[in-house]
Amino acid sequence: MTKRLYNFNPGPAALPLEVLEEAQATFVDFQGNGISLLEMSHRSRGVEELNHETQQLLLQLLNLPTSEYDVLFMGGGASAQFALLPMNFLHANQTAHYVLTGSFAEKAYKEATYIGQAAIAASSRSQNWSHIPILDEIQLSGNPAYLHLTLNNTIEGSRFNSIPNVGSTPLVADMTSDILSRKLDLQPFSMIYAGAQKNLGPAGVTVAIIRKDWLLQGSKLIPEIMRYETFAKHQSLFNTPPVHAIYMMNLMLKWVLQQGGVAALEQQNAGKAKLIYDVIDNSSGFYTGIIAHKDRSDMNITWRMANEALEKAFIQESLAHGFEGLAGHRSVGGLRASGYNAVPVEACQALAEFMTAFAEQHVSA
Ligand SMILES: *Cc1c(COP(=O)(O)O)cnc(C)c1O
């Protein structure tokens, strides 16, 4: 095999080599069935068991009780959830509230405006998303349907560190880029969703984790295929699910367990991020972080350099040294290193060393 790159892609993102190799080993003949999983009926016992086990594992790792939450496997990415959430839970006499902390949060809000009444509860847009608004005294007007938070802002590189208390209003979180990366008490949430391609596996499946009591309140005025309740009632087998993506997620979840679960990964992720933030903070302004220190993400580390030419040179040289995916999102520019769960410590060490050497070269030049 060619040398594996140091993969800092923002999503689809790095997967553990062990997971890729296991998937390869089981690809042609799935568990002695004589055919590949790709060729198996989604109604077969094997696929039903796979679905069930994956749902249970995910709840276990997130420390959520199986008696209170359903795990749904859906299509359309996290972006489809932006629309499905208000379609299901924003009723005619209600207002859906959104905290805008980045461009994915803004997209989620925009979709809600097509469905019904939506309001901006707080926003850091005018400060270029450089921090997370303080929500201690947040007031929600009207008859709130829910409050939506993007817990980790993938493009900007920020994250929530505390969850606002909004009484009985249901809380909803987009956790696409931080699910299973840090310990958070998720019990206050009525719904969590995540596209798989950052911390959960490959693209193609999206998880929605919803409180059973809230599920029952979903709209009956939308097509069945759009209803969360339909997916819950049929254990995500109402129509053909993305079976192979679910299998990859299953392997990924077992890998997370082997690493020691979310607590162990959180510690590792903080150490990985610190390696890179330290280089930024000790570079005398050669690299400048974009996000307020208190709100910095461990998953997506963003920074800028003196000018675009220098940033371009950095990216060019990083590619030549085996680093993949360090360019910032096309909408914001700059640099970004995404250190999801599957990115090994060694990759972050190598990046920190590369950044230090690059700075030394270009400061003295
Ligand atoms: C990547 C991402 C999305 C978009 O996910 P898709 O699966 O491409 O629709 C939404 N929200 C967050 C926080 C993300 O990181």
Side-chain angles (χ1 to χ4, degrees):
M1 192 170 92
T2 47
K3 188 177 183 301
R4 257 174 89 72
L5 299 175
Y6 297 122
N7 187 355
F8 289 95
N9 272 329
L15 290 166
L17 183 58
E18 302 97 295
V19 165
L20 293 172
E21 285 172 344
E22 167 93 23
Q24 183 182 43
T26 57
F27 193 73
V28 174
D29 180 7
F30 186 68
Q31 297 175 347
N33 278 282
I35 50 176
S36 169
L37 177 64
L38 296 178
E39 307 168 284
M40 280 170 70
S41 166
H42 59 293
R43 308 282 172 209
S44 62
R45 167 80 67 86
V47 171
E48 261 179 38
E49 281 174 3
L50 173 70
N51 251 14
H52 183 72
E53 183 186 71
T54 310
Q55 289 160 345
Q56 301 294 305
L57 261 174
L58 184 57
L59 288 177
Q60 181 194 333
L61 286 165
L62 293 171
N63 203 19
L64 290 172
T66 52
S67 57
E68 289 174 36
Y69 288 87
D70 276 315
V71 176
L72 318 181
F73 297 136
M74 307 183 76
S79 300
Q81 300 300 316
F82 296 168
L84 290 172
L85 167 66
M87 286 171 80
N88 278 270
F89 293 121
L90 174 51
H91 302 296
N93 54 347
Q94 295 180 317
T95 304
H97 294 265
Y98 286 77
V99 179
L100 304 192
T101 47
S103 56
F104 283 124
E106 212 166 35
K107 282 184 175 161
Y109 165 72
K110 189 169 167 212
E111 293 290 55
T113 66
Y114 292 119
I115 307 296
Q117 188 79 28
I120 299 170
S123 172
S124 57
R125 176 180 237 299
S126 62
Q127 289 92 37
N128 260 328
W129 311 123
S130 60
H131 69 279
I132 299 289
I134 292 169
L135 301 177
D136 291 349
E137 288 170 25
I138 194 166
Q139 297 288 334
L140 304 179
S141 58
N143 178 13
Y146 55 80
L147 176 68
H148 179 278
L149 310 173
T150 308
L151 287 191
N152 187 83
N153 297 281
T154 322
I155 293 173
E156 297 76 14
S158 69
R159 73 176 191 192
F160 280 84
N161 285 307
S162 64
I163 306 304
N165 183 350
V166 286
S168 58
T169 300
L171 273 172
V172 178
D174 178 355
M175 292 192 75
T176 298
S177 53
D178 65 340
I179 194 166
L180 296 178
S181 73
R182 54 178 172 148
K183 273 190 84 121
L184 285 173
D185 177 12
L186 298 176
Q187 293 239 21
F189 288 93
S190 292
M191 172 169 162
I192 292 154
Y193 63 91
Q197 68 273 23
K198 283 142 194 175
N199 265 319
L200 289 176
V205 62
T206 305
V207 293
I209 304 167
I210 311 180
R211 269 197 179 277
K212 288 175 191 282
D213 50 3
W214 206 39
L215 260 171
L216 300 176
Q217 296 174 33
S219 172
K220 306 284 189 284
L221 306 173
I222 55 175
E224 279 183 51
I225 188 68
M226 305 291 176
R227 297 183 202 171
Y228 291 124
E229 191 191 9
T230 304
F231 282 75
K233 204 155 69 185
H234 297 270
Q235 285 82 44
S236 300
L237 291 164
F238 177 70
N239 72 325
T240 318
V243 177
H244 198 262
I246 294 167
Y247 171 62
M248 295 295 293
M249 190 196 301
N250 181 282
L251 296 182
M252 188 71 192
L253 297 177
K254 287 175 179 161
W255 178 87
V256 169
L257 259 186
Q258 269 169 16
Q259 306 305 302
V262 174
L265 284 171
E266 175 178 39
Q267 226 181 3
Q268 204 181 88
N269 289 331
K272 280 154 50 182
K274 187 172 184 307
L275 289 168
I276 297 162
Y277 281 129
D278 279 352
V279 175
I280 293 172
D281 294 339
N282 296 326
S283 70
S284 309
F286 185 79
Y287 303 111
T288 37
I290 294 170
I291 300 298
H293 280 237
K294 67 176 177 51
D295 299 326
R296 281 174 161 180
S297 167
D298 283 349
M299 291 290 96
N300 310 99
I301 297 162
T302 52
W303 71 93
R304 302 223 57 139
M305 296 166 66
N307 55 61
E308 278 181 28
L310 197 55
E311 292 176 348
K312 221 167 158 181
F314 179 93
I315 292 164
Q316 286 296 327
E317 211 168 301
S318 75
L319 289 168
H321 282 78
F323 296 95
E324 165 85 4
L326 292 173
H329 190 269
R330 60 189 184 282
S331 64
V332 294
L335 291 307
R336 170 176 56 173
S338 297
Y340 298 119
N341 282 346
V343 174
V345 180
E346 302 79 64
C348 298
Q349 270 157 353
L351 177 57
E353 281 163 27
F354 171 77
M355 287 172 72
T356 305
F358 186 90
E360 275 166 12
Q361 254 169 38
H362 287 78
V363 166
S364 54

